[in-house]
Amino acid sequence: LMAFESSAPIVIGEALTTEDGTPVGSVTSASRRLDGHIVGLALVRTKHASAGTSLYGDSGDSILYLSEPRYALATEPSES
């Protein structure tokens, strides 16, 4: 599960692909921020689930930029 941000509209359930069209996941939730950007969560194949990765919506207009989900960072055990 990865967080994402996009400046183009995206639909929940939309398939995600790499630049060469390889299917790698789908959008599970999305919401528009006050500044107009879309943020949400997507299930992404492990091989492509890295912060900074760009994925494409199947509509062709959406480019998503992946990041680590904030809740995951907050729940990671800390080394003491």
Side-chain angles (χ1 to χ4, degrees), residues 4-40:
F4 71 83
E5 183 172 332
S6 176
S7 58
I10 190 122
V11 178
I12 295 170
E14 186 165 348
L16 300 176
T17 64
T18 60
E19 188 172 17
D20 67 2
T22 304
V24 296
S26 63
V27 174
T28 60
S29 62
S31 180
R32 184 178 304 274
R33 294 189 322 202
L34 293 177
D35 66 5
H37 282 85
I38 307 297
V39 294

Side-chain angles (χ1 to χ4, degrees), residues 37-56:
H37 282 85
I38 307 297
V39 294
L41 297 171
L43 288 174
V44 179
R45 292 185 189 271
T46 304
K47 179 179 177 181
H48 302 279
S50 300
T53 299
S54 298
L55 297 177
Y56 300 84

